[in-house]
Amino acid sequence: MRRTQVLHLLFRFSFFLHQYRIYTVGILMFLLLSIGDSLFSHYGFSFYSSLNHQLLGQVAIKFNQLQIIPQVWLALMGMILGTLIIVISFASQKIPKLIDLYMQDLPSLYYVWFLVASGTHTFMVIALTDTGANLPSNHVFNMIILFPLALMLSLTYVFYILRYTKPSNIIMKVYEDHINRIHELTYGRVRNLIELEVIRQWYQTALFDSFNQLDDLLEFVSFKEPKADIIHDMCNVTREYIRNKQKFNPVFFKISQAVRQDISFKTMLGMFDEMERSRTFYEQKCFRLLGNAYTKFLDNGDFDLASLCASEMAEIGLTAIEQNDEELMEVIIVRFNTVLRFAIKHGIRNNEGRNLYNAAFHYGNYIRSLVKHQKDAQAKKCFMYLRVYGLEIFKHGRLSPAMYFIVDVFASEMKKLLILLYAEGWDPQLQNALLTEILQVDNPPATERTLLSKGILINNGVRILQAGLALFAMRENMQEFVSRIVKDITEDLELLDEKAFYQAIDMTCVRLRFSGPTFWEDTDRGNVNIYYTKDTEYIDTFRELVLQETKHYLITKVTQQYYLDDAEAGLLWDISHTPPHQELMPVLKDASMFESAIQNWKKSYTSADQPLLESLRNKTGFTSENHTLMLSSPQQLAPQSELTLFFSDASKRQSLKKVVHILVNTPEWIEVRMTDQKHLLALSSAQTIRCLYASMHQRYVYEFKGRWVYSETQDTGRIYPEKHMNVTQENSQKLA
């Protein structure tokens, strides 16, 4: 305790000297000048006199005749002080902290007080000489030593002041003072003194004042180079602080009242307890200033400086990871999310994606650092945030089209992270969990997806990146990854028709095949093409997998909708994908298209397909039994339906009417059975007949013509109908 008290007294004394260093330097300079004058009078003057006589002989200087001219000192002091006032006054208009820094600059204080002390020495010597005192040594000391020394240093001092007002030098001065304060906190004597609240507050205030000085300089400096230096230095001192943080006395992290009143923390009243617990109040100060600077740079169009803020934050994050500071890692994640929020607002307002592009890149660098250092909890959390912000940006794409590319950028960062996770040998279950995140980047809520244009859905950059990831997984034999990506891609069929989906797949494959490693334009991150993949040899295999999964997806969908079995679903697929028809769902939505597809497919029709075709007609509802369906083709007549046939007998000039029942309805003919008048029907074979079908549900009469062929051996007849069918709104009872 006694040692602490002594150290406290010494600190208070040094603090007093530091606080009043202007007067301390003045007193010290007068004291040194007095000592120097006394030493010269006793020891130097005799040596100078003998040397003067030896060199000059009879013409040696008569010291009692020397006269000091005070006007010379006044002119020198006027020149120096005038230059000082002019330079400092003008420079302080652009650098508001310059005067404060100058008043604490020791070389400048020493020289100015040297001039004042030397001028005072001149007047005192003249005053004493006028009273009759004989002071040749004092005259010599002033004229031969002090004045030449002041004159020689004057030009050096003017250059020093001019150089001192250069922004880069002021920035360096503040930076060096800040670094020294950080290193002092690791010294044993300071670690003990930090227990005292007044000393702890002084150090915290000194560190925050340095930050505020740099922030003020950032506001008033107009050129980009010093602004970049300020941002770099602010983050560099923060990194140095993090490296030495473990050496500090834990009491240092107790927030003082001065810190609570700091301008950056006035709106953070509820966070002081958390900052004390996590020991991050210093870093929070830096991040608050960086965040403010970032928004200003965005508003002013200084995109490169805004990108520098995000880059330096990623470097701070790397230092925190290297020091294993878990609490600070969480803080940096929050700050990166905040930067993304600023960039999103700016990007939407200006339809400008450059800053989001840069922020996502640096965020990705930070996450990659987490991955390389096995920080799985933080990496997984950041991965989830990328997905969340990617979805939000995707929703804003309708109002700001530039945002769609930024979604691709987010997906690109997630793709690179997944590849890195595999290279680092992370747990496959965790890799699968993170794969789920990237598969959701382009999956906004259904209400949002329905508003997207077909062009955006077809030309989907996220799908290209996911496909590129699937190609990488195929090369590394990660079959589960490939299967999940392929299944997710086929979910686009919920929004795209089959034709548009095939178009999107073909476009994706083309872009993957022909995208080079570089882009033809430069960006802030270089000209790297985010869509490039080196695994192009797997593109054809990937396309086949997607087509197979598409077939499975669509067949499963219609199977569940119409309760089809595998054979019926297979037949439906063959019918719907016979050229020129290449889509399944449109065939099921329109009766005429369904019949057209059957007519195109009938070349491969066999008798074994007949039961399946009849069952398929019944389940899909494209038969006469469907009372809501307006028949468009005779092929839609259901088996067991009743037809009325009209035969023309040319010899008897009369028409015969016959009622028959449909046995089989194939794509080419309708087979019917009758019970009497065989001889009449046989005689009418191969002629054109008129067929009527009365719909009991709709009260419609359907009429079509066909060629009649009768088979005596099987007691059946076949109708080869024409495709055209007429509909009349007659009461079906008229046919009776």
Side-chain angles (χ1 to χ4, degrees):
M1 186 65 182
R2 184 181 180 86
R3 182 172 180 271
T4 303
Q5 291 176 345
V6 173
L7 289 175
H8 182 214
L9 291 175
L10 291 175
F11 177 82
R12 296 296 296 179
F13 178 71
S14 63
F15 177 72
F16 175 82
L17 294 180
H18 175 79
Q19 187 174 10
Y20 299 100
R21 66 167 56 184
I22 296 177
Y23 308 106
T24 302
V25 171
I27 294 172
L28 180 61
M29 185 53 64
F30 274 100
L31 182 61
L32 290 175
L33 197 63
S34 299
I35 294 174
D37 185 56
S38 177
L39 291 175
F40 183 81
S41 298
H42 288 85
Y43 303 105
F45 182 69
S46 58
F47 172 76
Y48 177 79
S49 300
S50 60
L51 181 63
N52 182 62
H53 281 285
Q54 290 178 5
L55 294 176
L56 300 178
Q58 295 181 353
V59 295
I61 299 175
K62 297 181 180 180
F63 300 112
N64 56 354
Q65 297 179 354
L66 288 175
Q67 293 292 330
I68 301 175
I69 305 175
Q71 290 84 351
V72 176
W73 276 107
L74 290 175
L76 180 60
M77 291 177 62
M79 180 188 72
I80 297 300
L81 294 178
T83 302
L84 180 65
I85 292 172
I86 294 173
V87 171
I88 297 297
S89 298
F90 277 101
S92 62
Q93 295 179 11
K94 294 293 184 181
I95 308 174
K97 294 294 181 180
L98 180 60
I99 294 178
D100 295 337
L101 294 173
Y102 173 78
M103 299 300 286
Q104 300 294 323
D105 183 63
L106 286 176
S108 184
L109 291 176
Y110 276 118
Y111 182 70
V112 172
W113 277 113
F114 171 71
L115 290 180
V116 174
S118 298
T120 304
H121 179 270
T122 300
F123 287 102
M124 290 181 63
V125 170
I126 291 175
L128 292 174
T129 302
D130 291 341
T131 61
N134 186 18
L135 303 171
S137 62
N138 302 101
H139 284 276
V140 172
F141 180 70
N142 189 280
M143 294 185 62
I144 304 302
I145 295 180
L146 295 182
F147 185 74
L149 181 61
L151 194 61
M152 286 187 295
L153 292 176
S154 62
L155 189 60
T156 304
Y157 177 69
V158 170
F159 290 155
Y160 173 78
I161 291 298
L162 293 175
R163 184 176 179 273
Y164 191 88
T165 57
K166 187 178 179 181
S168 60
N169 293 325
I170 296 175
I171 296 169
M172 182 57 64
K173 174 67 175 177
V174 176
Y175 168 78
E176 291 175 349
D177 289 344
H178 198 125
I179 291 291
N180 292 335
R181 293 285 180 271
I182 293 174
H183 290 164
E184 286 177 9
L185 290 170
T186 64
Y187 300 160
R189 58 182 177 81
V190 177
R191 284 175 55 87
N192 294 328
L193 288 172
I194 287 297
E195 299 284 347
L196 302 174
E197 182 178 357
V198 62
I199 297 177
R200 181 174 68 254
Q201 178 170 312
W202 185 87
Y203 271 101
Q204 291 178 353
T205 304
L207 293 176
F208 273 40
D209 284 346
S210 295
F211 267 138
N212 290 331
Q213 286 177 346
L214 291 174
D215 187 52
D216 289 341
L217 289 171
L218 189 64
E219 180 70 24
F220 284 92
V221 170
S222 57
F223 298 105
K224 283 190 175 182
E225 182 180 356
K227 286 184 177 182
D229 291 340
I230 292 170
I231 295 297
H232 177 72
D233 288 344
M234 289 173 64
C235 298
N236 203 25
V237 296
T238 304
R239 290 191 289 270
E240 186 68 16
Y241 173 90
I242 296 170
R243 296 188 189 100
N244 292 275
K245 193 174 180 180
Q246 298 298 327
K247 303 175 185 177
F248 298 170
N249 189 327
V251 179
F252 172 76
F253 301 103
K254 186 175 181 180
I255 301 177
S256 65
Q257 189 62 32
V259 171
R260 294 173 185 268
Q261 296 299 320
D262 186 80
I263 185 63
S264 297
F265 289 163
K266 284 187 177 294
T267 60
M268 301 175 65
L269 300 179
M271 296 183 60
F272 290 119
D273 292 340
E274 174 62 23
M275 286 191 291
E276 283 187 349
R277 185 194 64 79
S278 61
R279 300 182 177 184
T280 57
F281 75 92
Y282 177 91
E283 295 91 334
Q284 291 276 18
K285 171 67 175 179
C286 176
F287 294 148
R288 294 282 287 187
L289 297 180
L290 272 183
N292 295 336
Y294 186 80
T295 55
K296 291 177 182 177
F297 291 149
L298 292 185
D299 294 337
N300 296 333
D302 296 327
F303 299 146
D304 47 356
L305 293 176
S307 178
L308 178 63
C309 292
S311 174
E312 292 292 339
M313 195 178 300
E315 291 296 323
I316 294 176
L318 176 59
T319 305
I321 295 170
E322 292 172 345
Q323 299 301 316
N324 200 29
D325 193 335
E326 300 277 348
E327 300 289 349
L328 183 55
M329 293 179 212
E330 297 291 339
V331 171
I332 294 174
I333 292 173
V334 173
R335 297 311 304 180
F336 258 119
N337 292 341
T338 307
V339 166
L340 286 180
R341 175 62 58 194
F342 293 153
I344 289 173
K345 290 182 179 179
H346 177 271
I348 295 171
R349 186 171 61 247
N350 298 280
N351 193 29
E352 172 60 66
R354 181 184 308 175
N355 298 291
L356 267 170
Y357 179 45
N358 294 334
F361 173 80
H362 296 301
Y363 200 179
N365 285 342
Y366 175 59
I367 305 174
R368 281 187 285 277
S369 299
L370 291 171
V371 171
K372 292 178 181 178
H373 289 81
Q374 302 298 313
K375 302 298 181 182
D376 53 347
Q378 289 84 359
K380 185 176 180 180
K381 188 181 298 184
C382 292
F383 211 91
M384 182 268 291
Y385 290 140
L386 287 178
R387 188 257 303 169
V388 170
Y389 285 108
L391 282 174
E392 181 174 346
I393 295 169
F394 194 83
K395 291 191 298 183
H396 291 294
R398 290 186 297 108
L399 301 177
S400 179
M403 295 296 103
Y404 284 127
F405 173 70
I406 301 303
V407 182
D408 299 355
V409 173
F410 275 71
S412 173
E413 294 300 325
M414 297 172 80
K415 173 188 171 184
K416 289 188 287 186
L417 288 168
L418 279 169
I419 294 175
L420 180 61
L421 288 174
Y422 176 79
E424 294 289 326
W426 279 40
D427 182 12
Q429 291 186 351
L430 180 58
Q431 294 185 49
N432 269 294
L434 297 184
L435 176 62
T436 302
E437 302 289 346
I438 191 175
L439 294 180
Q440 295 179 10
V441 172
D442 60 339
N443 289 335
T447 55
E448 295 288 341
R449 287 173 66 87
T450 55
L451 300 176
L452 298 175
S453 65
K454 181 180 288 190
I456 294 298
L457 293 171
I458 293 177
N459 188 19
N460 189 342
V462 176
R463 287 303 192 204
I464 297 173
L465 293 164
Q466 292 170 347
L469 181 60
L471 299 181
F472 167 80
M474 293 174 70
R475 173 162 58 88
E476 300 297 335
N477 200 26
M478 302 165 64
Q479 297 303 325
E480 185 177 359
F481 261 49
V482 177
S483 177
R484 290 189 61 192
I485 294 172
V486 169
K487 288 182 179 179
D488 187 79
I489 289 176
T490 56
E491 291 178 2
D492 285 348
L493 287 166
E494 296 178 4
L495 296 173
L496 293 173
D497 57 63
E498 198 174 341
K499 183 178 181 181
F501 178 78
Y502 292 145
Q503 182 182 354
I505 295 301
D506 290 339
M507 185 176 295
T508 297
C509 292
V510 169
R511 291 191 63 178
L512 286 172
R513 193 182 304 277
F514 294 104
S515 292
T518 57
F519 194 61
W520 58 77
E521 294 178 0
D522 238 349
T523 67
D524 293 344
R525 300 271 64 83
N527 62 345
V528 175
N529 188 352
I530 64 175
Y531 305 109
Y532 168 72
T533 178
K534 60 182 179 181
D535 303 312
T536 53
E537 66 269 24
Y538 299 99
I539 291 178
D540 293 335
T541 305
F542 168 76
R543 184 177 183 277
E544 288 301 319
L545 289 175
V546 173
L547 295 181
Q548 292 174 13
E549 184 61 30
T550 302
K551 179 179 179 180
H552 175 74
Y553 175 88
L554 292 172
I555 287 179
T556 301
K557 185 175 180 179
V558 298
T559 297
Q560 294 174 351
Q561 183 176 354
Y562 296 102
Y563 304 101
L564 306 180
D565 58 28
D566 292 342
E568 293 166 345
L571 178 62
L572 178 60
W573 181 266
D574 292 340
I575 291 173
S576 62
H577 283 75
T578 300
H581 299 283
Q582 296 293 333
E583 297 180 79
L584 178 60
M585 302 311 295
V587 168
L588 291 173
K589 293 178 181 179
D590 184 79
S592 60
M593 188 173 293
F594 183 83
E595 293 304 326
S596 174
I598 289 178
Q599 293 302 319
N600 291 310
W601 163 80
K602 69 181 182 180
K603 294 180 180 179
S604 59
Y605 168 79
T606 64
S607 59
D609 297 323
Q610 181 56 39
L612 291 178
L613 182 59
E614 291 181 2
S615 177
L616 186 61
R617 286 187 183 279
N618 289 327
K619 290 183 178 181
T620 56
F622 291 140
T623 69
S624 55
E625 294 176 351
N626 183 352
H627 65 277
T628 63
L629 180 67
M630 181 70 71
L631 302 182
S632 60
S633 168
Q635 303 297 340
Q636 293 174 258
L637 297 177
Q640 305 307 318
S641 296
E642 188 178 87
L643 279 180
T644 302
L645 307 183
F646 290 89
F647 298 84
S648 297
D649 189 342
S651 61
K652 298 182 178 181
R653 298 182 180 180
Q654 63 179 351
S655 294
L656 299 177
K657 181 175 73 172
K658 186 62 181 177
V659 177
V660 298
H661 291 85
I662 297 176
L663 296 178
V664 178
N665 192 344
T666 73
E668 295 184 356
W669 69 83
I670 300 174
E671 189 165 280
V672 299
R673 181 184 296 276
M674 63 288 299
T675 57
D676 56 0
Q677 298 183 355
K678 296 180 181 178
H679 61 286
L680 294 176
L681 296 178
L683 293 175
S684 304
S685 181
Q687 69 172 311
T688 301
I689 62 173
R690 186 164 62 98
C691 309
L692 297 178
Y693 167 73
S695 170
M696 301 303 295
H697 299 290
Q698 298 173 319
R699 299 293 185 181
Y700 289 156
V701 174
Y702 296 89
E703 178 183 0
F704 63 93
K705 292 182 179 181
R707 184 169 57 87
W708 170 254
V709 175
Y710 178 68
S711 173
E712 293 187 27
T713 57
Q714 297 182 0
D715 197 23
T716 60
R718 287 186 178 181
I719 303 171
Y720 292 84
E722 298 176 357
K723 296 181 181 179
H724 182 67
M725 177 178 278
N726 295 321
V727 183
T728 59
Q729 296 185 8
E730 299 182 33
N731 190 309
S732 60
Q733 297 300 321
K734 292 182 179 180
L735 296 177

